[in-house]
Amino acid sequence: LSPGAKMGCFTFIKVMMILFNLAIFLSGGTLLGVGIWVKVDGESFLNIFGALSSSILQVVNVAYLLIVIGAILLVIGFLGCYGAQKESKCLLMMFFSVVLIIFIAEVAAAVVALVFTGLAETLLTGLVTPLLKEKYGVDKAFTEIWNVTMTEVHCCGLNNYTDFNNSYFYETHSSYPRQCCDMQQYLPFWGMLCAGNWGITTSCHPHSRGCLLQGCFKQILEEIRTNAGVAGGVAAGIAALEIAAMAVSMYLYCRLDEK
């Protein structure tokens, strides 16, 4: 290519880099703002957008997640946009490094998720099951989160209903949580036996046959496998964007030497 064509190509890619990262920067700022709003005034947020649960802890977790993602996008967007605009090799290299670290972390997480599913189940069982026995029915926020999870996913405990054996809740109520009964799948007799007054009570009779559901871990894994195609497509799209961003930043970095 002639020097003029090379310069035109460089300018075009530079402008695209600026616009792309400006969009990332604005998206990050939006997520950060929403996260701070949810953290400071979660009740107002829930009133406007509705909520699957009134659990305060869940709202706090969502807020932190939005804040972290928003902050990361802000940093990436700033480094890419300002670095390209100022033609700063230092900022472009920092942009490349941050995106590369995120890309490697995503690949590592995917490999771990695929290879060590069994190990993850073992570790989660060792960590979560004792917490279910000790905190379910005692800690309000912890109990609410598990109630929502078991209701939405239609599951009981992490592995199965036996996670509640010898637990505080079972010792107190001599029964399992009401969420361990899928009320839509049983006849009125079983429903009454399982949850008392048509699901108003908070426990499930331990001897109601067929009423106890499988564990949440296997249910969540099944949901992930069911939606694996969509999740894989989204992950591949994000990975492609990250690779393209790194390639463009390196192109600009190398062309600055020639200038």
Side-chain angles (χ1 to χ4, degrees), residues 13-24:
I13 293 177
K14 172 184 170 180
V15 171
M16 290 298 100
M17 179 81 167
I18 292 172
L19 293 177
F20 177 73
N21 284 282
L22 180 60
I24 291 178

Side-chain angles (χ1 to χ4, degrees), residues 52-55 57-58 61 128 132 136 140-159 164 177-181 213-221 223:
L52 294 176
S53 167
S54 60
S55 171
L57 188 58
Q58 277 193 324
N61 286 340
V128 176
L132 278 174
Y136 187 86
K140 185 176 179 181
F142 182 85
T143 304
E144 182 68 19
I145 288 175
W146 269 98
N147 284 344
V148 171
T149 301
M150 292 190 292
T151 300
E152 295 297 323
V153 184
H154 300 291
C155 57
C156 179
L158 183 68
N159 299 296
F164 292 100
R178 176 179 60 82
Q179 286 76 13
C180 288
C181 298
L213 301 174
Q214 62 180 319
C216 294
F217 187 81
K218 289 183 173 62
Q219 288 284 76
I220 292 172
L221 277 183
E223 288 292 325

Side-chain angles (χ1 to χ4, degrees), residues 35-56:
I36 294 173
W37 174 25
V38 175
K39 178 70 175 68
V40 174
D41 189 15
E43 215 174 292
S44 171
F45 181 84
L46 293 178
N47 289 336
I48 293 174
F49 292 98
L52 294 176
S53 167
S54 60
S55 171
I56 299 301

Side-chain angles (χ1 to χ4, degrees), residues 57 127-147 163-164 166-170 172 177:
L57 188 58
L127 292 171
V128 176
T129 303
L131 289 176
L132 278 174
K133 293 183 183 296
E134 296 171 12
K135 291 192 173 184
Y136 187 86
V138 178
D139 187 303
K140 185 176 179 181
F142 182 85
T143 304
E144 182 68 19
I145 288 175
W146 269 98
N147 284 344
D163 289 343
F164 292 100
N166 303 316
S167 67
Y168 168 84
F169 186 89
Y170 189 88
T172 304

Side-chain angles (χ1 to χ4, degrees), residues 58-140:
Q58 277 193 324
V59 173
V60 171
N61 286 340
V62 169
Y64 287 140
L65 180 63
L66 291 174
I67 290 172
V68 169
I69 294 176
I72 292 173
L73 291 179
L74 271 176
V75 171
I76 292 175
F78 171 78
L79 291 175
C81 184
Y82 195 68
Q85 198 273 328
K86 291 294 183 181
E87 298 185 359
S88 168
K89 294 180 67 175
C90 178
L91 291 179
L92 287 173
M93 181 54 70
M94 289 177 65
F95 172 84
F96 176 86
S97 301
V98 172
V99 175
L100 180 61
I101 290 170
I102 293 173
F103 179 77
I104 293 173
E106 289 170 350
V107 172
V111 171
V112 170
L114 291 173
V115 176
F116 297 106
T117 302
L119 177 61
E121 183 175 6
T122 302
L123 290 174
L124 281 172
T125 299
L127 292 171
V128 176
T129 303
L131 289 176
L132 278 174
K133 293 183 183 296
E134 296 171 12
K135 291 192 173 184
Y136 187 86
V138 178
D139 187 303
K140 185 176 179 181

